[in-house]
Amino acid sequence: MTYTGWFVEQFGQGPGWFLANLTLILAIAFPVMVGVALAVYADRKIWAAMQMRRGPNVVGPFGLLQTFADAAKLFLKETIIPTGASTGVFLLAPMISFTLALVVWAVMPFDAGMVLADLNVGLLYVFAVSSMGVYGIIMSGWASNSKYAFLGGLRSAAQMVSYEVSMGFILVSVMMYAQSLNLSDIVMSQKGNVLGILNGNIFNPLLFPMGIMFFITALAETNRPPFDLPEAEAELVAGYQVEYSSMSFALFFLGEYANILFMCALIPTLFLGGWLPPLDWAPLYLIPGFVWFLVKMAFMFFVFAWVKATVPRYRYDQLMRLGWKVFLPLSLFWVILVSGWLMFTGHFVAAPGVL
Amino acid sequence: MAAFAFYLFAGLLLTSGLMVITTRNPVHSVLWLILAFFNAAGLFILLGAEFLAMLLVIVYVGAVAVLFLFVVMMLDIDFKALQRGALKNLPLGLAVSGIILTEVLLVATGWQPGQGVIAHEALAGPPEGMTNTQWIGSQLYTRYFFVFSMSGLLLLASMIGAIVLTHRRRIGNRRQDIGTQVARTPAGTLGVGKAGLGQGVEL
């Protein structure tokens, strides 16, 4: 009997379904929040190690509780709303940021069949929610009624819209290989897809450049260094977050890291074979898929932190040039190349709807 | 459940549509417009057209409305001047809306379903074993290929128009030339001036 089926039997159709999904949502949201806390800690530790410092090491064993202490400090502070602010929009913006960062996890397959909503347009759902993420930032920038915040919000809107275009084309080339928009199907299509033994689109020479570009685009989409122009502290103080304090700031911060973690989970799903082991070799399947997934996620997060610690920030015009003049033509060309290759090798013959 | 969801989405859609035209602050109206798009996407999902719903959110909410918001935030609107203009043009506005209202009433009372011109017979839902997305793709690129290409050409024309408008020479437009910026040297930009007491430096 399925998990939802048991609840439906106990409490009836409507309430049972509701309760089952509520517990499942909590079972995703709570670990994501704990994951965010640990990710912040890991980020600071990796960053410190690369700069030959110790990083947080006082609160709790190895400084593990540092993030929780910071969170407690933030939640106990006073919420300040600037006089000139548009109050409703000002308070709504961090909520939108945080909610969207959590909502997007609904379609993420952690293991075979371990997914809350197995949508057949899962990839488009991810794309739609991540494209809505810009509203949290642009609304906070406008509602703060402050020059720095406004500039940060405008920069962010331009940046995210620009990089979404090439991100869409990268996703198109992945979904042409998988012939599906469902994230579980995309993972399963990577089983032994290269030479019959390697699992993962990244090992495919045609998709390898797309994987690298997707990683860079993910950095730009999550406003991570070297693309953290919206909050560039050297020039804009903290960009759109200038006027936020306590809870509302904490929501922005949590949402930002939840988004980063999501990107660290999405890249393995699309390019590294998701919950599958890297090699299509029976003994490796003894390790549960969930563990493989977490290992890949942790690896991706390390790479994110690595980039943050080593690469200097882009100038704004360089960022725009990279997005529009390099990534967009390249990804557009690559879509044509990939579809031509797939057509040539007869990849689409079995697809439904082919004439 | 479906009925409840329909009334929820439809009600929110109409309310936010109403708020778009009644709110005084233009940025707030754009935000209400975004909520309206979002609820329309919800209605598409209820119809089983999940691909269209996601596309609506991606294109309209994720891109078009962001640019709207971008433009509206930059505008410095003088409401007093707007209201003065509104009073002057009131008779003309009333006349136009009166004509439209009469036309709509004529059409709404005279129209009977199923008597219009049928360009194509309506298609049944997607065949067995085909998802929504695959079905739309297979119809769009075969049966409706010419219509699809024509709309593509229309978009191309508007795109070229926008690019030409941005790239024409304008007076007072300061373009960034990376070459000149990189080629700057201290000799061309720095100088030491001596400021006399109570006077400035001539630049």
Side-chain angles (χ1 to χ4, degrees), chain B residues 99-169:
Chain B
I99 292 170
I100 293 176
L101 181 68
T102 329
E103 282 178 352
V104 167
L105 282 178
L106 281 176
V107 169
T109 49
W111 181 70
Q112 281 170 344
Q115 288 192 339
V117 183
I118 298 169
H120 273 300
E121 72 276 24
L123 291 167
E128 219 28 60
M130 223 192 221
T131 64
N132 215 306
T133 320
Q134 287 166 330
W135 189 57
I136 289 178
S138 66
Q139 293 298 320
L140 210 55
Y141 287 98
T142 53
R143 188 181 170 133
Y144 298 105
F145 183 71
F146 290 112
V147 188
F148 185 67
S149 320
M150 289 313 284
S151 53
L153 278 181
L154 272 179
L155 284 176
L156 180 70
S158 56
M159 191 175 95
I160 292 173
I163 292 172
V164 167
L165 279 179
T166 335
H167 270 262
R168 82 202 139 119
R169 292 230 166 269

Side-chain angles (χ1 to χ4, degrees), chain A residues 68-79 245-247 250:
Chain A
F68 297 99
D70 287 347
K73 186 193 77 176
L74 270 179
F75 283 114
L76 290 174
K77 284 191 169 181
E78 184 192 353
T79 310
S245 60
S246 97
M247 281 281 282

Side-chain angles (χ1 to χ4, degrees), chain B residues 24-26 77-84:
Chain B
R24 305 208 72 96
N25 191 326
I77 299 174
D78 185 3
F79 285 102
K80 287 275 151 45
L82 266 183
Q83 277 162 354
R84 256 180 278 131

Side-chain angles (χ1 to χ4, degrees), chain A residues 206-218:
Chain A
L206 266 180
L207 284 178
F208 178 75
M210 289 289 105
I212 302 296
M213 276 171 66
F214 189 81
F215 173 69
I216 299 171
T217 314

